[in-house]
Amino acid sequence: MADLEKIVAQLSELTVLEAADLVKLLEEKWGVSAAAPVAVAAAGPAAAAVEEVEEKTEFTVMIKSPGPKKIDVIKVILQLTSLGLVEAQNMAEAADSKVLEGVGKDVANDAKAKLEAAGAEVVLL
């Protein structure tokens, strides 16, 4: 009888393409269609390697609400952006205003902390 542990170890080392080829060969050899059971077995370790979580690198800082201290929020917007006073005021007053777009995690968290300290309700996207 074959050493089943050795076979399992060898199957675990297959790439997704190799596993797909194995399925085709076994289906032809045995004259069966094993799509569901074999796909689940083959997807085990190979799928885990493919589904690596990609960390988000770009963020958008958005004001949901300026809060009660609108003037303080406008001052922070002026510090964070190159906008003029009128544009910063309009941004603070508009719902879901994007203060910064496509910035790194540190910059986004810093901007969020400053805006929240000024009284704004802020969301990172």
Side-chain angles (χ1 to χ4, degrees), residues 5-81:
E5 292 296 325
K6 188 175 180 181
I7 294 172
V8 170
Q10 288 176 336
L11 289 174
S12 297
E13 294 175 3
L14 293 179
T15 65
V16 175
L17 293 175
E18 291 170 334
D21 288 341
L22 176 62
V23 169
K24 290 177 188 175
L25 290 171
L26 292 175
E27 285 177 342
E28 290 172 9
K29 170 97 174 159
W30 295 331
V32 295
S33 176
V38 174
V40 171
V50 172
E51 294 180 17
E52 290 182 22
V53 176
E54 196 171 305
E55 187 174 335
K56 190 172 180 179
T57 58
E58 291 188 354
F59 295 86
T60 298
V61 180
M62 185 167 61
I63 296 177
K64 295 299 264 180
S65 166
K69 301 178 187 175
K70 194 182 307 182
I71 293 174
D72 292 340
V73 173
I74 293 170
K75 288 178 183 178
V76 173
I77 292 172
L78 288 171
Q79 291 173 359
L80 297 173
T81 66

